[in-house]
Amino acid sequence: MIDQPNNRYIPAHAGAFEYPLINFARCLRAPERIKIVAIGSSSTAGEGDIVPYPYRLETALRIKYPDRVIDVLNKGIGGQEAPEELERMRRDVIVEAPALTIWQVGTNAVWQQGHDLDFVAAKIDEGLKLLAGTATDVVVMDLQYAPAVLTDDKIDATRRMLSLITKIAAANKANVFRRFELMRRFVEVERRSFDTIIDPTDPDRLHQSDFSARRIGYELCEAIAAAAAKVGEPPA
């Protein structure tokens, strides 16, 4: 199955990455398999019957680069946040020596009770500095746009978490895949309902739908390819 939208002229797209993907582009020129590691929580691991974005991304990248073998390793664990993910960064990410690391982070810091956002932000910063010492490009994926984190008691924390991720990523020269903004545009520009972008069977109104996972995988693929092209990878 080709995991991409039927209408290529859809209005909502992810923004371009600020920094080129130097390591991923270099690996495109080599004959070996290309490895990407996706670390995060349930959006990465998968929830219910929804096929998560790492599988969608792998499918899209293999279509875009048919002469290369690209593996996306899913290292998501549902319910985790940056502190727990940082603890396993070496064994689950660095040991794999990926060309690209995608770190989905921030939602549980808002959704779950008891998180100190400054502490979570410090762990994100520590993780990005750890990854910067390796030969991997880094993309940070921010929060999902979901009713569970848009309520009156959560929205201020959501906005602050988004701002912290932006600032920390900029300080570490890491790209951000702005999932929150992309999903917001699904609703406000494309006029999709929350029952379309959020799993309608999820009583928490938190987890992405099949539609969202598919679109996020596709948009992430396009953003990765464009950032690799900045350093002159072979045309797809």
Side-chain angles (χ1 to χ4, degrees):
M1 179 182 68
I2 298 177
D3 219 7
Q4 62 185 19
N6 291 327
N7 181 2
R8 299 296 296 273
Y9 299 97
I10 52 178
H13 293 289
F17 291 150
E18 184 173 357
Y19 306 105
L21 299 179
I22 296 171
N23 294 290
F24 181 78
R26 182 171 60 243
C27 288
L28 282 174
R29 300 188 185 98
E32 293 82 10
R33 298 170 77 96
I34 300 172
K35 191 181 297 184
I36 296 171
V37 171
I39 185 171
S41 57
S42 58
S43 293
T44 301
E47 183 75 14
D49 295 330
I50 306 302
V51 177
Y53 91 83
Y55 172 81
R56 317 283 190 151
L57 174 62
E58 180 181 89
T59 301
L61 286 170
R62 289 183 175 187
I63 291 168
K64 182 167 286 292
Y65 302 103
D67 59 336
R68 304 310 318 279
V69 178
I70 301 176
D71 296 323
V72 180
L73 306 186
N74 190 330
K75 300 293 185 176
I77 297 179
Q80 288 197 341
E81 189 43 89
E84 296 84 8
E85 291 153 5
L86 176 61
E87 287 180 359
R88 60 188 180 89
M89 192 69 73
R90 290 187 185 276
R91 70 175 184 271
D92 281 358
V93 178
I94 294 174
V95 73
E96 298 288 352
L100 171 63
T101 300
I102 303 168
W103 191 5
Q104 169 258 311
V105 72
T107 300
N108 284 328
V110 173
W111 164 245
Q112 296 170 344
Q113 297 293 325
H115 280 289
D116 179 334
L117 297 191
D118 289 322
F119 179 73
V120 171
K123 293 302 178 180
I124 297 172
D125 183 63
E126 188 177 342
L128 292 181
K129 285 179 168 54
L130 179 64
L131 291 170
T134 70
T136 186
D137 298 314
V138 179
V139 171
V140 180
M141 180 184 292
D142 67 15
L143 289 66
Q144 63 257 42
Y145 185 80
V149 296
L150 299 174
T151 56
D152 289 344
D153 62 326
K154 300 287 187 184
I155 188 61
D156 286 345
T158 294
R159 289 171 178 151
R160 184 154 184 265
M161 194 72 246
L162 289 166
S163 177
L164 286 168
I165 289 172
T166 295
K167 290 177 181 177
I168 294 163
N172 288 279
K173 295 185 177 180
N175 288 302
V176 179
F177 182 80
R178 301 187 187 281
R179 176 173 54 155
F180 186 90
E181 175 62 17
L182 177 63
M183 293 180 68
R184 184 188 67 79
R185 286 174 59 80
F186 292 163
V187 174
E188 297 183 5
V189 178
E190 295 188 0
R191 303 300 182 186
R192 309 283 183 178
S193 69
F194 276 114
D195 279 343
T196 298
I197 72 167
I198 299 299
D199 181 0
T201 69
D202 177 15
D204 293 327
R205 310 301 286 144
L206 177 67
H207 297 102
Q208 295 167 172
S209 66
D210 184 78
F211 168 86
S212 290
R214 176 173 55 87
R215 287 284 297 275
I216 287 166
Y218 170 77
E219 291 295 331
L220 188 52
C221 171
E222 294 298 294
I224 288 169
K230 291 181 180 179
V231 289
E233 99 287 11

